[in-house]
Amino acid sequence: MKVDGRHYRSIWLEPDGRSVGAIDQRRLPHEFVVAKLTSCEEAADAIRTMLVRGAPLIGATAAFGVALAMREDASDAGLDRAYRTLVVARPTAINLKWALEEMRTTLAPLSRFERTEAAYARADEIAEQDVAINQGIARNGLPLIEGVAARRKPGEPVNVLTHCNAGWLATVDWGTATAPIYLAHERGIKVHVWVDETRPRNQGASLTAWELGHHGVPHTIIPDNTGGHLMQHGMVDLAIVGTDRVAANGDVCNKIGTYLKALAAHDNDVPFYVALPSPTIDFAIDDGIRDIPIEQRAAAEVTDMTGRTADGRLETVRIVPEGSPVANYGFDVTPARLVTGLITERGVLKPDRASLAAAFPERIAAE
Ligand code: MRU
């Protein structure tokens, strides 16, 4: 997608053919800074500290992390160490484990002399595959927006609500939830996006708003608690969110607060769609609410806020009383019964076991 007219991806192989470039998402929207990752440890650190984030991008970064590791030690022990270092970087997004399994399957049968080149090639394929998958999601999700647009008076936009950042920054390009939105925008359909700020890290306000703005897509940032009110007043045509892991039964894990939006959508007959690339499906988990691990993060994300002061400095301030305990669950699980449909690269699916298994039989066979 575009930043001030120039096309960017969130991650790329640098011209030196070794190191990996990535947009430092901790600095947005205030500063556009590119980071250079040169080792497996730096890749793991980038995931852990959320320099990169978003399930598909976490997966792609881990794949490049293995390639960086192979430069230093391409032995079986080196491959094993890279896997173990990266797999624990964040717990909820299953794309991390998926990408590492893909890398291990490709590299394990090879000799140590072949592994480095093969690792870069497979990491690059995983990144390209993510872009292609998201373009599929864009094509399959577009009719949902077109359907609303067809019932609109000329000039009236289709209002889509999204939560967190499931945009191009969270993937390699296009995003998942944003992919149909970008395609609709490209096709000249008037779309307007309600962007949940997404406390505590504000990925909506900081990242989704930034990328939509730079690509020229009309949007409005709303405090997290606003969605229900907008839905009651007919101001949301459909919700589209991303996900970090979908269980085999269709339960959807995504950024904390997604469940509340799904409840409000259900109560107001607003279609609630989840956009996902197939690597986000975890067929090993039968019940998302019971079994998906939920990341708990540092209290400082809740107690403190960082922003730009009037004189241009970045400053962090405390916004809660000293001594009050804090809980910071990163994700929640929306039960399948609240999900209207899963927008995948193979079509819009019902959120249930049979539909997921029928659409991705090769994944079932691999389990
Ligand atoms: O904690 P984050 O910023 O990594 O959480 C991101 C999300 O919850 C996204 O909605 C999800 O990863 C899907 S990204 C296409």
Side-chain angles (χ1 to χ4, degrees), residues 163 196-199 222-230 257 260-261:
H163 190 68
D196 281 351
E197 63 174 344
T198 320
R199 281 284 291 150
I222 48 173
D224 283 330
N225 303 325
T226 307
H229 170 78
L230 297 178
L260 290 177
K261 293 298 137 62

Side-chain angles (χ1 to χ4, degrees), residues 195-199 201-206 221-224 305:
V195 178
D196 281 351
E197 63 174 344
T198 320
R199 281 284 291 150
R201 283 187 71 99
N202 298 316
Q203 290 95 325
S206 303
I221 300 167
I222 48 173
D224 283 330
M305 279 187 108

Side-chain angles (χ1 to χ4, degrees), residues 50 53-56 58 90 163-166 170-171 176 203 242-244 254-255 331:
M50 294 179 69
R53 28 67 53 203
I58 289 170
R90 285 192 74 189
H163 190 68
C164 193
N165 174 259
T171 65
T176 57
Q203 290 95 325
T243 169
D244 290 80
N254 191 46
K255 182 54 54 190
F331 300 90

Side-chain angles (χ1 to χ4, degrees), residues 13 17-18 20 38-40 43 60-74 79 82 86 100 103 107 115-124:
L13 189 60
R18 301 164 171 225
V20 176
T38 59
S39 68
C40 175
T61 307
F64 279 115
V66 172
L68 290 165
M70 293 300 94
R71 300 195 72 80
E72 287 166 23
D73 179 0
L79 181 56
L86 289 156
L100 290 171
M103 294 301 284
L107 301 181
R115 280 183 181 160
T116 307
E117 200 184 325
Y120 276 100
R122 185 70 190 110
D124 194 53

Side-chain angles (χ1 to χ4, degrees), residues 329-347:
Y329 295 92
F331 300 90
D332 60 26
V333 177
T334 299
R337 69 185 159 79
L338 297 178
V339 176
T340 310
L342 301 172
I343 311 171
T344 75
E345 71 269 29
R346 295 200 185 154

